[in-house]
Short mmCIF file of all heavy atoms in Angstrom, two decimals:
data_model
loop_
_atom_site.label_atom_id
_atom_site.label_comp_id
_atom_site.label_asym_id
_atom_site.label_seq_id
_atom_site.Cartn_x
_atom_site.Cartn_y
_atom_site.Cartn_z
N ARG A 76 218.41 99.26 64.14
CA ARG A 76 217.22 100.18 64.29
C ARG A 76 216.03 99.47 64.89
O ARG A 76 214.88 100.07 65.03
CB ARG A 76 216.85 100.72 62.85
CG ARG A 76 217.92 101.65 62.34
CD ARG A 76 217.78 101.82 60.79
NE ARG A 76 216.51 102.28 60.27
CZ ARG A 76 216.18 103.47 59.95
NH1 ARG A 76 217.17 104.39 59.92
NH2 ARG A 76 215.04 103.84 59.59
N LYS A 77 216.17 98.25 65.23
CA LYS A 77 215.09 97.39 65.84
C LYS A 77 213.82 97.27 64.95
O LYS A 77 212.75 97.37 65.37
CB LYS A 77 214.80 97.81 67.21
CG LYS A 77 215.90 97.85 68.17
CD LYS A 77 215.54 98.24 69.62
CE LYS A 77 216.69 98.33 70.56
NZ LYS A 77 217.40 97.07 70.55
N GLU A 78 214.09 97.24 63.56
CA GLU A 78 213.06 97.10 62.72
C GLU A 78 212.58 95.60 62.55
O GLU A 78 211.42 95.41 61.97
CB GLU A 78 213.37 97.71 61.28
CG GLU A 78 213.60 99.20 61.33
CD GLU A 78 213.99 99.76 59.94
OE1 GLU A 78 214.00 98.93 59.01
OE2 GLU A 78 214.25 100.95 59.79
N GLY A 79 213.41 94.67 62.90
CA GLY A 79 213.05 93.33 62.69
C GLY A 79 214.01 92.44 63.52
O GLY A 79 214.90 92.97 64.22
N SER A 80 213.87 91.13 63.38
CA SER A 80 214.71 90.17 64.05
C SER A 80 215.09 88.96 63.14
O SER A 80 214.31 88.75 62.16
CB SER A 80 214.01 89.70 65.33
OG SER A 80 212.83 89.05 65.03
N LEU A 81 216.13 88.29 63.49
CA LEU A 81 216.59 87.17 62.65
C LEU A 81 215.81 85.88 63.07
O LEU A 81 215.76 85.58 64.31
CB LEU A 81 218.09 86.97 62.77
CG LEU A 81 218.96 88.02 62.00
CD1 LEU A 81 220.40 87.62 62.18
CD2 LEU A 81 218.59 88.02 60.55
N ALA A 82 215.39 85.14 62.11
CA ALA A 82 214.84 83.77 62.40
C ALA A 82 215.97 82.74 62.43
O ALA A 82 217.09 83.06 61.96
CB ALA A 82 213.76 83.38 61.33
N ALA A 83 215.68 81.59 62.94
CA ALA A 83 216.65 80.48 63.08
C ALA A 83 217.27 80.10 61.65
O ALA A 83 218.38 79.71 61.55
CB ALA A 83 216.09 79.30 63.76
N ASN A 84 216.45 80.26 60.64
CA ASN A 84 216.91 79.95 59.27
C ASN A 84 217.70 81.07 58.59
O ASN A 84 218.20 80.90 57.55
CB ASN A 84 215.82 79.49 58.35
CG ASN A 84 214.73 80.62 58.27
OD1 ASN A 84 214.90 81.72 58.69
ND2 ASN A 84 213.61 80.23 57.62
N GLY A 85 217.92 82.16 59.35
CA GLY A 85 218.72 83.25 58.87
C GLY A 85 217.86 84.38 58.16
O GLY A 85 218.37 85.43 57.94
N ALA A 86 216.60 84.16 57.93
CA ALA A 86 215.76 85.14 57.28
C ALA A 86 215.48 86.25 58.30
O ALA A 86 215.45 86.07 59.47
CB ALA A 86 214.48 84.46 56.88
N LEU A 87 215.17 87.47 57.81
CA LEU A 87 214.77 88.56 58.54
C LEU A 87 213.28 88.54 58.76
O LEU A 87 212.52 88.41 57.81
CB LEU A 87 215.18 89.86 57.87
CG LEU A 87 214.86 91.15 58.69
CD1 LEU A 87 215.81 91.40 59.83
CD2 LEU A 87 214.65 92.30 57.76
N CYS A 88 212.82 88.67 60.02
CA CYS A 88 211.33 88.61 60.28
C CYS A 88 210.91 89.96 60.74
O CYS A 88 211.50 90.63 61.66
CB CYS A 88 211.10 87.66 61.42
SG CYS A 88 209.36 87.23 61.60
N VAL A 89 209.81 90.48 60.10
CA VAL A 89 209.34 91.83 60.37
C VAL A 89 207.78 91.73 60.58
O VAL A 89 207.20 90.83 60.13
CB VAL A 89 209.64 92.83 59.34
CG1 VAL A 89 211.18 93.02 59.14
CG2 VAL A 89 209.07 92.38 58.03
N LYS A 90 207.26 92.81 61.23
CA LYS A 90 205.78 92.86 61.42
C LYS A 90 205.41 94.14 60.74
O LYS A 90 206.07 95.16 60.67
CB LYS A 90 205.45 93.03 62.96
CG LYS A 90 205.88 91.83 63.77
CD LYS A 90 205.14 90.56 63.30
CE LYS A 90 205.44 89.42 64.45
NZ LYS A 90 206.90 89.06 64.40
N THR A 91 204.20 94.09 60.07
CA THR A 91 203.68 95.30 59.30
C THR A 91 202.55 95.95 59.92
O THR A 91 202.04 96.82 59.28
CB THR A 91 203.24 94.71 57.91
OG1 THR A 91 202.10 93.91 57.99
CG2 THR A 91 204.40 94.04 57.14
N GLY A 92 202.32 95.68 61.22
CA GLY A 92 201.28 96.41 61.96
C GLY A 92 199.90 96.28 61.46
O GLY A 92 199.44 95.21 61.06
N LYS A 93 199.21 97.40 61.40
CA LYS A 93 197.77 97.37 61.05
C LYS A 93 197.50 96.81 59.68
O LYS A 93 196.53 96.12 59.50
CB LYS A 93 197.27 98.85 61.14
CG LYS A 93 195.79 99.03 60.72
CD LYS A 93 195.41 100.47 60.90
CE LYS A 93 193.99 100.72 60.36
NZ LYS A 93 193.58 102.14 60.58
N TYR A 94 198.33 97.12 58.75
CA TYR A 94 198.14 96.72 57.38
C TYR A 94 198.97 95.43 57.04
O TYR A 94 200.13 95.53 56.97
CB TYR A 94 198.45 97.86 56.39
CG TYR A 94 197.57 99.04 56.49
CD1 TYR A 94 197.83 99.99 57.40
CD2 TYR A 94 196.42 99.09 55.74
CE1 TYR A 94 196.95 101.08 57.52
CE2 TYR A 94 195.60 100.20 55.79
CZ TYR A 94 195.81 101.16 56.65
OH TYR A 94 194.99 102.29 56.77
N THR A 95 198.24 94.31 56.98
CA THR A 95 198.95 93.07 56.68
C THR A 95 198.71 92.56 55.32
O THR A 95 198.99 91.43 54.94
CB THR A 95 198.48 91.93 57.69
OG1 THR A 95 196.96 91.82 57.61
CG2 THR A 95 198.79 92.41 59.14
N GLY A 96 198.10 93.38 54.47
CA GLY A 96 197.83 93.11 53.05
C GLY A 96 197.64 94.44 52.35
O GLY A 96 197.70 95.54 52.90
N ARG A 97 197.44 94.34 51.06
CA ARG A 97 197.16 95.49 50.27
C ARG A 97 195.91 96.22 50.70
O ARG A 97 195.00 95.59 51.19
CB ARG A 97 197.00 95.19 48.75
CG ARG A 97 198.35 94.79 48.09
CD ARG A 97 198.19 94.56 46.61
NE ARG A 97 197.23 93.48 46.31
CZ ARG A 97 195.98 93.72 45.92
NH1 ARG A 97 195.48 94.92 45.75
NH2 ARG A 97 195.22 92.66 45.58
N SER A 98 195.92 97.52 50.45
CA SER A 98 194.75 98.33 50.83
C SER A 98 194.09 98.90 49.54
O SER A 98 194.41 100.11 49.17
CB SER A 98 195.07 99.46 51.79
OG SER A 98 194.00 100.03 52.32
N PRO A 99 193.29 98.17 48.85
CA PRO A 99 192.89 98.54 47.47
C PRO A 99 192.02 99.82 47.50
O PRO A 99 191.98 100.52 46.49
CB PRO A 99 192.07 97.35 47.05
CG PRO A 99 191.60 96.62 48.19
CD PRO A 99 192.75 96.82 49.21
N ASN A 100 191.31 100.17 48.52
CA ASN A 100 190.54 101.33 48.53
C ASN A 100 191.34 102.64 48.84
O ASN A 100 190.79 103.72 48.82
CB ASN A 100 189.44 101.19 49.67
CG ASN A 100 188.50 100.07 49.38
OD1 ASN A 100 188.22 99.78 48.25
ND2 ASN A 100 187.94 99.42 50.45
N ASP A 101 192.65 102.44 48.98
CA ASP A 101 193.45 103.67 49.29
C ASP A 101 194.49 103.88 48.09
O ASP A 101 195.44 104.55 48.34
CB ASP A 101 194.28 103.40 50.54
CG ASP A 101 193.33 103.38 51.78
OD1 ASP A 101 192.45 104.23 51.84
OD2 ASP A 101 193.43 102.42 52.59
N LYS A 102 194.16 103.32 46.95
CA LYS A 102 195.07 103.49 45.80
C LYS A 102 194.43 104.51 44.78
O LYS A 102 193.21 104.50 44.49
CB LYS A 102 195.26 102.15 45.03
CG LYS A 102 196.08 102.26 43.76
CD LYS A 102 196.03 100.93 42.94
CE LYS A 102 196.44 101.21 41.53
NZ LYS A 102 196.24 100.04 40.66
N PHE A 103 195.23 105.53 44.42
CA PHE A 103 194.79 106.59 43.55
C PHE A 103 195.70 106.75 42.33
O PHE A 103 196.93 106.43 42.45
CB PHE A 103 194.73 107.86 44.32
CG PHE A 103 193.76 107.87 45.50
CD1 PHE A 103 194.24 107.37 46.73
CD2 PHE A 103 192.45 108.29 45.37
CE1 PHE A 103 193.35 107.26 47.78
CE2 PHE A 103 191.59 108.22 46.41
CZ PHE A 103 192.06 107.74 47.61
N ILE A 104 195.16 107.26 41.25
CA ILE A 104 195.87 107.65 40.05
C ILE A 104 195.67 109.18 39.89
O ILE A 104 194.47 109.59 39.98
CB ILE A 104 195.42 106.90 38.75
CG1 ILE A 104 195.86 105.42 38.99
CG2 ILE A 104 196.19 107.47 37.57
CD1 ILE A 104 195.39 104.60 37.81
N VAL A 105 196.75 109.90 39.69
CA VAL A 105 196.61 111.33 39.57
C VAL A 105 195.91 111.63 38.27
O VAL A 105 196.41 111.29 37.18
CB VAL A 105 197.96 112.10 39.70
CG1 VAL A 105 197.75 113.56 39.61
CG2 VAL A 105 198.55 111.74 40.99
N ALA A 106 194.81 112.42 38.21
CA ALA A 106 194.07 112.71 37.03
C ALA A 106 194.68 113.83 36.26
O ALA A 106 194.13 114.94 36.08
CB ALA A 106 192.61 113.01 37.39
N GLU A 107 195.98 113.62 35.76
CA GLU A 107 196.65 114.61 34.90
C GLU A 107 195.80 114.72 33.64
O GLU A 107 195.32 113.68 33.07
CB GLU A 107 198.07 114.19 34.68
CG GLU A 107 198.91 114.04 35.91
CD GLU A 107 199.41 115.49 36.37
OE1 GLU A 107 198.92 116.46 35.77
OE2 GLU A 107 200.17 115.58 37.43
N PRO A 108 195.79 115.85 33.01
CA PRO A 108 194.98 116.05 31.81
C PRO A 108 195.46 115.13 30.63
O PRO A 108 194.60 114.70 29.86
CB PRO A 108 195.27 117.52 31.41
CG PRO A 108 195.65 118.18 32.62
CD PRO A 108 196.37 117.19 33.48
N GLU A 109 196.70 114.75 30.53
CA GLU A 109 197.22 113.96 29.41
C GLU A 109 196.61 112.52 29.43
O GLU A 109 196.64 111.88 28.45
CB GLU A 109 198.73 113.87 29.51
CG GLU A 109 199.45 115.21 29.31
CD GLU A 109 199.77 115.83 30.65
OE1 GLU A 109 198.91 115.82 31.59
OE2 GLU A 109 200.82 116.53 30.77
N ILE A 110 196.14 112.04 30.57
CA ILE A 110 195.72 110.60 30.76
C ILE A 110 194.24 110.53 30.99
O ILE A 110 193.74 109.36 31.19
CB ILE A 110 196.52 109.89 31.70
CG1 ILE A 110 196.22 110.43 33.10
CG2 ILE A 110 198.02 109.81 31.36
CD1 ILE A 110 196.79 109.56 34.18
N LEU A 111 193.52 111.62 31.05
CA LEU A 111 192.10 111.55 31.49
C LEU A 111 191.28 110.62 30.61
O LEU A 111 190.45 109.95 31.10
CB LEU A 111 191.49 112.93 31.44
CG LEU A 111 191.91 113.92 32.61
CD1 LEU A 111 191.20 115.20 32.46
CD2 LEU A 111 191.43 113.25 33.90
N ASP A 112 191.52 110.58 29.30
CA ASP A 112 190.74 109.76 28.40
C ASP A 112 191.34 108.38 28.18
O ASP A 112 190.78 107.58 27.46
CB ASP A 112 190.64 110.44 26.99
CG ASP A 112 189.83 111.76 27.11
OD1 ASP A 112 189.07 111.86 27.96
OD2 ASP A 112 190.17 112.73 26.34
#
Side-chain angles (χ1 to χ4, degrees):
R76 292 160 58 102
K77 300 187 184 303
E78 293 180 4
S80 57
L81 287 179
N84 58 9
L87 180 81
C88 190
V89 297
K90 302 294 189 295
T91 64
K93 176 180 178 180
Y94 293 87
T95 58
R97 289 185 299 104
S98 189
N100 295 328
D101 294 312
K102 174 189 165 188
F103 299 85
I104 297 177
V105 182
E107 298 282 4
E109 298 93 323
I110 63 167
L111 283 178
D112 296 331

